[in-house]
Amino acid sequence: MTSVRPTRLLLVDDDALVRAGLSLMLGGAADLEVVAEASDGREALAAVRSHDVDVVLMDLRMPVMDGIEATAAITALPSPPHVLVLTTFDADDYVVRALAAGAHGFLLKDTPPAQIVESIGTVLSGEPALSPAVTRRLIAQVTDGSGGNREADAARRVALLTDRERDVALAIGRGASNAEIAAELHLSLATVKAHISHLFTKLDAVNRVQVAITMHEAGLL
């Protein structure tokens, strides 16, 4: 019987104690394996090139090359790993720049270990992973000063949703994961993913953050 290969992780942080803590925590999971560590962005880029990495846990503020520059360089590589930012800095500018550089998720370091593990699986499946607090900050930044036209357009698009799609969209707006939505609404994961696909089409969204923004602009969050 062929065993499933564990998800291979690269830990990037200039604090050796943080790396040690993450390695201890994540290395204990049966389906995760820490294959390399780096103390700055330049080392991270070299490690990605020399190791078979699935997910990079990336700090932002580091010497030599910071996490945003490193994220952009890594995601520009052929068949790059997924980058999940894990940092103490949640300022709007950091969030937007990290996501624009190609990060697949943005978590704060006070995120519970179980949620970090879940988020690794989330980004590996191609979905973005954002702390609820980060999602709220993005929504507030993007919708700040939005006028009536945006609100009316959001309400028009939301009106196209079925009741169940609306429930899923509201849960996304609260920062719920697919698993949490499935449990809350008593749906299978496959059904939740199908609803999200429909939401992207009906709300003219390309990711979960845009779904949340639309629900916020429609006055539903």
Side-chain angles (χ1 to χ4, degrees), residues 5-216:
R5 192 194 80 166
T7 299
R8 297 164 64 86
L9 307 175
L10 165 63
L11 307 182
V12 186
D13 198 295
D14 63 339
D15 189 328
L17 289 177
V18 171
R19 296 198 309 273
L22 286 172
S23 182
L24 182 64
M25 177 187 73
L26 299 173
D31 57 347
L32 300 177
E33 179 185 4
V34 177
V35 297
E37 298 182 13
S39 61
D40 60 58
R42 186 176 298 173
E43 288 183 5
L45 185 58
V48 167
R49 286 172 168 155
S50 59
H51 293 80
D52 184 9
V53 176
D54 299 311
V55 177
V56 179
L57 266 65
M58 180 75 73
D59 191 20
L60 289 185
R61 296 187 64 176
M62 297 179 293
V64 185
M65 178 188 289
D66 67 23
I68 292 174
E69 186 179 354
T71 295
I74 289 171
T75 56
L77 295 172
S79 302
H82 295 75
V83 177
L84 177 59
V85 170
L86 187 62
T87 183
T88 56
F89 301 95
D90 65 341
D92 296 341
D93 182 54
Y94 282 119
V95 177
V96 173
R97 288 173 62 201
L99 295 177
H104 298 83
F106 196 110
L107 300 179
L108 303 182
K109 286 183 178 175
D110 61 0
T111 300
Q115 189 175 337
I116 294 176
V117 172
E118 180 183 355
S119 295
I120 290 171
T122 297
V123 299
L124 196 60
S125 69
E127 299 178 21
L130 297 172
S131 294
V134 170
T135 299
R136 288 193 294 270
R137 292 176 75 95
L138 280 176
I139 291 172
Q141 183 183 32
V142 174
T143 61
D144 182 40
S146 60
N149 288 340
R150 290 175 65 97
E151 294 168 1
D153 182 61
R156 176 187 58 77
R157 284 179 283 153
V158 169
L160 300 175
L161 304 181
T162 65
D163 289 342
R164 184 56 82 191
E165 289 167 350
R166 180 187 175 110
D167 291 339
V168 172
L170 288 171
I172 289 174
R174 295 193 298 271
S177 67
N178 284 4
E180 290 168 337
I181 295 171
E184 176 185 339
L185 300 179
H186 307 289
L187 301 171
S188 70
L189 279 174
T191 300
V192 170
K193 290 179 180 178
H195 282 314
I196 291 174
S197 178
H198 296 155
L199 286 174
F200 286 175
T201 299
K202 291 183 177 181
L203 298 182
D204 193 23
V206 297
N207 56 44
R208 297 165 82 96
V209 173
Q210 290 184 358
V211 170
I213 289 171
T214 298
M215 301 307 286
H216 182 278

